[in-house]
Amino acid sequence: MIAHLQRASDTASVLAYLYGPGEGGNHTSPRLIAGDGHGAPIELLAEPGSLPYLAHALDAPVERLGARAPVRPTWVCSVRSDPRRPDLTDSQWATVARSLVSAVGLAPYGDPDACRWIALRNQPRKVHVVATLARADGGLHNTYSDVFRVQTECRRLAAELGHLPAAPDPTPRAQEAHVPAPSITITSEFSGSVVAKGATDDLSAQLLNHAGFQQIDDWYGRRHRLPTTTPIADQVAIATHAAEMLRAARYGVDLAPSLDMARMSTPVPALGPYAAGAELLQITDLIRSAENGADLQRAVDHLLHPEHGALERVREALEATGEHINDLDDEAYALADRFGFAAEFVSAAQSELVDSQPELRRFSNTQQPQTEMRTRSPKLPDHRGAALATSPAVAKAKVSPSLGVEATDSSVAVRPSHAPAPQR
């Protein structure tokens, strides 16, 4: 089984497409085969004339979140089976869909507050699962590990249904000694993606796919990689597990030390106890090293992602600090308000930049030399230089040596603030 994950911003449009004729007119007899609307009559609404009401039923928990709702709250997973095997019945596909939403954590078995979802079929050997990311209890589903979990569950279901290729006949040990062991290298690329090189035969490819790697077959040949969104801990676990299986199958494996759990020691934080600051420095390094707009957009996404970006985490931390100050001392409302105002400023910054990421991708691959940038950056228009010269931030920078910080050229280092600091 092969799964393809997507995120969408409009549930109604997704349903209209899936229930429609499709791009090539290949959608036939669209029908609901499973789902859970937590009381909403999805079976009655899953008809072409009622699709807007079905979309509203699925979106109801998202709408209750208000401003906290994600930009793309609709989760779509399309799963197809091996064309060399008999197609599954609607009942079997319903079981597959139920297992997938449970495995990824969207709707675990027995969870009364899980996300709402449906599964529908509109062509042979395929099922589409549509869910919304908001839970009934007001929480949000974390999607970071969904790709890995979906792949693992598809592999398990395929084995359970007997759709995996049969194991090759065992080779006598006398012959094994004469078979050269292919060498496979598992390492991290600069982009953050973990890649496995040298796995060109079917057995090694199956082992890597089982571990969680994605297989890519194009004009460069067969390659395997992990998505750049895979958390570091999962990258290490997947790479180590893949190396263990490959070595057990008599492959020579060169595993990067940073991906080997057996060789890893407890890392020393680059900034001591300030681990979060060290991670933000890594984001800054990614931004500075971006070679084109696409790289820059991916790096900035670590800051601006509406659910998991650094700005959202900072906003939540500031908001939680203000609330906790009130819990500890209800007389300290003034201090709590200052943290609340700061959280609002961060939220305003998020709103200001929410539409900037598509524009980042337009930049070309060519970059100006750093020396040219340094030469040109101080040359500001007259009106901007005048504004900076009278800015309170400039006056503050001029007295910075008394605080142990060297004063800098105000026309270069100081930028006007977008919002005034709260008056206390």
Side-chain angles (χ1 to χ4, degrees):
M1 287 186 175
I2 298 177
H4 177 57
L5 286 179
Q6 300 180 76
R7 291 274 299 279
S9 58
D10 186 0
T11 305
S13 297
V14 172
L15 295 179
Y17 171 76
L18 293 177
Y19 274 87
E23 295 179 359
N26 56 347
H27 292 180
T28 58
S29 183
R31 57 198 180 277
L32 182 78
I33 60 172
D36 187 353
H38 295 287
I42 57 175
E43 294 83 1
L44 300 177
L45 299 175
E47 298 294 335
S50 304
L51 294 183
Y53 302 99
L54 176 60
H56 180 72
L58 293 174
D59 285 336
V62 178
E63 294 173 355
R64 288 197 292 267
L65 294 179
R68 291 181 52 235
V71 177
R72 294 182 297 162
T74 309
W75 185 93
V76 184
C77 180
S78 302
V79 185
R80 61 181 177 87
S81 62
D82 189 340
R84 298 168 296 183
R85 304 284 179 172
D87 194 5
L88 305 182
T89 64
D90 283 0
S91 177
Q92 289 174 313
W93 275 120
T95 301
V96 169
R98 188 69 187 84
S99 298
L100 286 174
V101 295
S102 178
V104 300
L106 276 166
Y109 289 105
D111 186 350
D113 297 322
C115 300
R116 299 185 179 189
W117 65 277
I118 62 168
L120 61 95
R121 297 192 66 194
N122 55 19
Q123 54 187 304
R125 304 184 185 283
K126 200 167 188 178
V127 68
H128 302 281
V129 183
V130 181
T132 47
L133 299 179
R135 291 170 50 84
D137 57 8
L140 279 172
H141 170 67
N142 188 334
T143 61
Y144 269 171
S145 300
D146 284 1
V147 172
F148 171 68
R149 291 172 179 167
V150 164
Q151 285 182 331
T152 302
E153 185 65 10
C154 282
R155 194 74 180 178
R156 186 192 69 79
L157 291 168
E160 187 177 281
L161 294 168
H163 283 199
L164 288 181
D169 295 333
T171 305
R173 290 191 175 274
Q175 297 181 20
E176 288 180 0
H178 302 287
V179 177
S183 179
I184 298 173
T185 301
I186 302 178
T187 185
S188 295
E189 291 185 334
F190 181 75
S191 63
S193 178
V194 175
V195 297
K197 302 176 181 178
T200 57
D201 61 298
D202 291 339
L203 177 58
S204 62
Q206 290 178 18
L207 294 175
L208 286 167
N209 291 340
H210 181 69
F213 280 80
Q214 291 181 340
Q215 180 173 315
I216 302 173
D217 293 295
D218 53 22
W219 54 84
Y220 292 109
R222 178 178 290 179
R223 296 172 289 141
H224 297 80
R225 62 184 291 274
L226 295 180
T228 54
T229 54
T230 306
I232 299 297
D234 288 351
Q235 290 182 357
V236 174
I238 295 171
T240 300
H241 181 50
E244 290 173 352
M245 290 193 297
L246 289 168
R247 286 168 179 155
R250 296 178 175 267
Y251 289 91
V253 180
D254 183 12
L255 180 63
S258 60
L259 299 172
D260 191 347
M261 294 182 66
R263 298 174 62 180
M264 290 181 63
S265 58
T266 303
V268 178
L271 298 181
Y274 303 104
E279 293 190 8
L280 286 174
L281 284 177
Q282 294 179 3
I283 296 176
T284 303
D285 290 340
L286 284 176
I287 292 173
R288 288 173 173 164
S289 62
E291 297 182 355
N292 51 56
D295 290 346
L296 182 58
Q297 186 268 336
R298 283 191 290 268
V300 172
D301 184 59
H302 290 284
L303 290 176
L304 303 183
H305 191 282
E307 298 176 53
H308 314 295
L311 285 182
E312 176 62 13
R313 296 287 85 84
V314 170
R315 185 199 64 78
E316 290 177 351
L318 291 170
E319 188 177 81
T321 302
E323 294 173 352
H324 198 58
I325 289 173
N326 279 328
D327 292 339
L328 295 175
D329 184 359
D330 55 7
E331 295 295 327
Y333 57 86
L335 179 60
D337 286 348
R338 290 170 62 187
F339 279 93
F341 291 152
E344 291 176 5
F345 288 158
V346 175
S347 181
Q350 290 175 290
S351 299
E352 176 69 22
L353 300 173
V354 68
D355 296 327
S356 64
Q357 289 181 283
E359 298 182 26
L360 295 175
R361 301 182 66 92
R362 295 186 295 103
F363 300 135
S364 63
N365 293 335
T366 58
Q367 292 179 310
Q368 293 178 321
Q370 293 296 323
T371 54
E372 181 183 348
M373 294 295 291
R374 294 193 190 100
T375 302
R376 294 177 58 186
S377 59
K379 296 180 181 179
L380 302 176
D382 293 339
H383 65 275
R384 182 179 174 190
L388 292 177
T390 59
S391 168
V394 176
K396 183 178 180 180
K398 290 179 179 179
V399 300
S400 59
S402 64
L403 303 177
V405 180
E406 293 183 4
T408 59
D409 183 356
S410 62
S411 66
V412 179
V414 181
R415 292 179 294 180
S417 173
H418 289 289
Q423 301 296 324
R424 307 305 306 165

